[in-house]
Structure formats: C-alpha cells, structure tokens
Amino acid sequence: MGLPKLNTPTYELVLPSTEETIKYRPFLVKEQKLLLLAQESENKKEMLDAISQIIENCTFGKINSKEACNGYAMNWAAENGHLEVVKWLHINRKEGCTDYAMDR
C-alpha cells in the first residue's frame, strides 16, 4: 500500500511581466527541507538551485526560474523600493534593466 496522495490547493495569478496567468501551489515540507539544507550549507549556488527547484515545482514547470529573470525584475524591484534586490540582480544577472528602473 502506497502513501496517500495529498490534495494540495492550487491558486492562479497573473505574472506582471508577461500578463500570463499561471497556476501555482504552496511549497511542501519536502521543499522546505530542501531549502533548509541549502541554507545550512551556506553555499550560495546550492541556495539558488534550491529556490529555482522550488519555483519550478510549485508552478508545475510553467516557470523556469533560470530563464524567467529579465529586465522587468529589476524594474519591479526598483519601483517597489527593494534596493538589495536591485543590487543582487545587478551583480548576479546580465539582463540589466530599462531606463524606467534607473528613474526610480
């Protein structure tokens, strides 16, 4: 006899950058464990890989987090006052931003 299948709630949202509607679910205990193990390792690559895997799992493969980051991410972060996110994107990503982010 196998383990019971959990009925996990799903939700919908519209991605601001593409205006695409996607379904997602909350992350599960197994994904929380993955994140905690990556955090304990203090290895930034492991942490980013864990976050990427959780995003892909929770969006049923609709978002490839390694490809999803674009100039709109920096625009959004700048517009919403998330300077640390803007700095991280500037250092770790190559997409850059639009003039809109620079004006914020």
Side-chain angles (χ1 to χ4, degrees), residues 17-94:
S17 60
T18 63
E19 297 184 9
E20 177 185 6
T21 300
I22 65 160
K23 288 187 178 184
Y24 69 97
R25 64 165 173 78
F27 70 91
L28 304 174
V29 172
K30 66 181 180 180
E31 290 150 345
Q32 183 177 14
K33 182 178 179 182
L34 177 67
L35 192 57
L36 289 171
L37 290 171
Q39 184 179 12
E40 287 177 3
S41 76
E42 296 183 5
N43 180 316
K44 287 186 180 185
K45 182 178 180 340
E46 283 187 36
M47 287 186 242
L48 288 173
D49 288 345
I51 292 168
S52 292
Q53 185 62 52
I54 292 169
I55 290 170
E56 289 177 32
N57 290 350
C58 291
T59 59
F60 309 102
K62 287 292 284 182
I63 296 180
N64 178 339
S65 61
K66 295 186 191 297
E67 295 174 3
C69 194
N70 56 36
Y72 292 110
M74 194 178 287
N75 287 354
W76 181 88
E79 181 176 13
N80 291 286
H82 299 287
L83 183 57
E84 291 303 314
V85 174
V86 172
K87 289 178 184 176
W88 186 91
L89 288 168
H90 176 70
I91 292 167
N92 294 286
R93 302 297 297 193
K94 295 180 178 24

